[in-house]
Amino acid sequence: PARYSLISQPTMLANMEILSKNADKYQVDIYQTIRIHDILLDHYLKIRDWESCRVQTEWLTAKEKFMLVADMTNEQKAAYGHYLTNIGVYYDFALSKFITAIKYYENAKKILNEIRGYYIIYNTAYFQQALTQIGIGEIENARSNFLVIERKLSENNIPISSDRILGGKAKLSL
């Protein structure tokens, strides 16, 4: 019967939004819902829905005081680090608050540096921070972030040409 259906809406986005609302309504463990909210924020950033980005940013801000990174699994830390990176992107792109964006990237990097694996999420935090730094003229800091990305790619036997780093490094030359 339809009343037992998990997916009740015509789109994945609408179903994810319902899942996130129900998780809050029924007080589901915050650590279990971080990934859902991160996926939503990631989507809203891609479609430039700044109001929904603001809502997802405020959700994490309200929940963070109840969270302890030490209680998270590596998977949850990776999701949390990615979420913080996405919030940084929101502050950079939507609000032009570059210093605040960099603070979020730094917090994400601290968390992601604690865990093994997840090199794509790790590189994303460094890459987004480098792009913001290029935009505000912190060229040497951006170069340092690109060097960290190159090292991480090398550690994982991934050719530099397979990552977006080449495009980012080209911006350094402009």
Side-chain angles (χ1 to χ4, degrees):
R3 68 179 181 201
Y4 297 111
S5 175
L6 177 65
I7 298 175
S8 60
Q9 298 300 311
T11 66
M12 280 301 284
L13 176 61
N15 283 293
M16 294 285 288
E17 289 170 341
I18 288 171
L19 281 173
S20 71
K21 287 176 186 168
N22 284 338
D24 288 342
K25 179 179 176 180
Y26 295 107
Q27 299 178 346
V28 174
D29 182 4
I30 295 167
Y31 305 116
Q32 301 301 319
T33 60
I34 289 173
R35 185 68 181 126
I36 294 169
H37 287 277
D38 178 44
I39 291 168
L40 286 170
L41 179 55
D42 199 57
H43 175 74
Y44 297 139
L45 285 168
K46 288 175 181 155
I47 63 170
R48 293 177 171 78
D49 180 349
W50 304 133
E51 177 59 23
S52 294
C53 288
R54 183 191 60 75
V55 169
Q56 292 304 314
T57 299
E58 288 175 356
W59 179 88
L60 184 64
T61 303
K63 302 294 182 184
E64 271 185 312
K65 58 186 155 226
F66 304 109
M67 295 169 46
L68 292 173
V69 174
D71 291 343
M72 294 181 189
T73 66
N74 282 348
E75 185 177 347
Q76 291 164 342
K77 287 177 185 177
Y80 182 44
H82 193 260
Y83 201 152
L84 292 172
T85 301
N86 275 337
I87 291 174
V89 171
Y90 166 65
Y91 275 99
D92 182 356
F93 283 60
L95 304 176
S96 298
K97 293 185 176 182
F98 310 115
I99 303 306
T100 303
I102 288 172
K103 287 178 185 175
Y104 275 97
Y105 301 139
E106 286 294 328
N107 288 338
K109 287 166 37 178
K110 283 179 196 169
I111 291 163
L112 295 167
N113 281 325
E114 292 179 11
I115 59 176
R116 294 249 182 252
Y118 306 99
Y119 77 90
I120 293 172
I121 294 171
Y122 177 93
N123 285 355
T124 298
Y126 281 85
F127 182 78
Q128 292 298 347
Q129 183 173 8
L131 291 182
T132 300
Q133 289 167 329
I134 291 168
I136 62 173
E138 293 183 3
I139 303 305
E140 289 309 311
N141 290 333
R143 275 195 181 99
S144 295
N145 279 316
F146 285 131
L147 288 173
V148 171
I149 295 169
E150 288 175 0
R151 188 186 78 239
K152 185 60 84 171
L153 290 170
S154 177
E155 288 172 7
N156 287 281
N157 297 316
I158 307 295
I160 291 173
S161 62
S162 70
D163 197 84
R164 58 194 162 203
I165 190 171
L166 296 177
K169 287 180 81 173
K171 288 185 176 196
L172 283 171
S173 302
L174 299 177

